[in-house]
Amino acid sequence: MTHQDYTDTDKLEDVKVLHGMGYAQELERRMSRFSNFAISFSIICILSGGINSLAQATSGAGGAAIGIGWPLGCLVSAVFAIAMAQISSAYPTAGGLYHWGSILGNRGTGWLTAWFNLLGLITVLGAINVGTYYFFIGAFGEYLGIADSTTVRVVFLVILTGAQALINHMGIGLTAKLTDFSGYLIFVTAIALSVVCLAVADGYDFARLFTFSNYSGEAGGNVWPTTSSAWVFLLGLLLPIYTITGYDASAHTSEETVRAAHSVPRGMISSVLWSAVFGYIMLCSFVLMIPNMDAAAAQGWNVFFWAMNEQVNPLVKDILYFLIFICQFLCGLATVTSVSRMIFAFARDRGLPASKALSKVSPKYRTPVSAIWTGSTLAVLFVWGSSLVSIGETPVYTIVVSCTVIFLFFSFAIPIALGLLAWGTPKWNKMGPWDMGEGKFKFFAVLSILAMALIFVLGIQPPNEWALYITVGFLVVTAIVWFGFERRRFRGPPIGDEVARRSAEIAAAERAVGEKA
């Protein structure tokens, strides 16, 4: 469905659903169904995580980590997206995960979900842009005479993240146009990279895609510590699992998407599906291009640049690098959108310090400008501060980033698990138009819980063992804060009679931003 097909009846239905959840139409509905897909597809960005984290596979189980491990890892991520799609159709609202955790559970589970998701999004924005920085240095640093240092890294991130925030500030219309473009560019660039890799390959040794190796330890550039073949293969699943995430952006932009109850679940699932398929084609082509798997594994984190330098014409290589860099920039742009909508949604229910300011929407641009700049600033400060401190020989930045995806997937799993328990009860007795039925939802909900257990176990293995202590510490701190303070103060999203009492407040908020009835 295009934006041009959006009728007055469709708009009235979207606003009615939003009012029924106790919220005003302060943000502007400018995103088509494709735009909702594109923003999640842009955050997943197989040309970001699929390239920057490639060594988790090539320096792990080798070719089999891609040929077999990639589709398995994508299935792990997909079960969350399918279960979340069911909930998103029933509750299409910004900050969806927080809202779902509250409606299907209680104020406490919603508050916990919000903090898992918010901290995960802020740190993943930092991690995405740091990945873009290192890609830029690897691709163009020598040409430009730029070498890596903390100062260069922070200045680069300030410029990059500032540009992404400024574009978001100027309205969802501009952001959606760029993320729509990003969707097409990722497709085109992934196909182009695949064609180039296959064209310059010395031969097509398809067997290597299903050959299990063990490159842990020095053989793999110490990407993974020395471990067994079975464990190194399982650890390689983190490449697709870490790459295929961020599709909650479709839910976070629900209030800016036309026919959201229909568009959001489809956007979420299709972004995962197409990322999995095109990522598989691209990475299999790259593995087939590699001249020698043992030599590639020894390169560790430099494997992508090494293989491209070995096999690809310099001009063609630089064109591909430029296209990949643009895709990675737009990945960060879409992530700023997701972060800011989560901050906005949590703040309008008074879940954050300075909530009044953070939930304010610009009448001119119809965007939560304070939330945009706050989320972007926190991401840069996180990278800068954590780069200066180490625990042993490991920078705190590396330790925290290892928790990022654990936090994000916990924020997915909590509302899914609550939905499993709430189905058919007064908490959730009305489904949205995208409804796969009780049996299928509960099947994917159970798979999601099992997948969460797998992700947590894999995510805390060496060299990321500190992720366990950080996660446990986070749960202890949140328990203290909740039971000590927030349980008495935080009211959560409006439920029941509170929704009806907000009608005058909703009307005033919509008038303030110029929303026409």
Side-chain angles (χ1 to χ4, degrees), residues 326-349:
I326 296 300
C327 289
Q328 292 189 5
F329 170 80
L330 295 173
C331 171
L333 172 75
T335 308
V336 171
T337 309
S338 194
V339 173
S340 63
R341 274 37 172 195
M342 179 60 221
I343 293 174
F344 161 76
F346 198 25
R348 70 180 168 185
D349 288 331

Side-chain angles (χ1 to χ4, degrees), residues 37 41 44-46 66 70-78 186-187 240 243-245 268-284:
F37 152 79
F41 189 66
I44 292 171
C45 192
I46 52 176
I66 299 298
W70 177 268
L72 284 178
C74 289
L75 283 174
V76 171
S77 289
I186 291 170
F187 279 125
T243 300
I244 310 293
T245 190
M268 208 176 294
I269 292 174
S270 57
S271 66
V272 172
L273 173 64
W274 289 113
S275 295
V277 171
F278 277 80
Y280 190 61
I281 294 169
M282 180 186 78
L283 293 178
C284 284

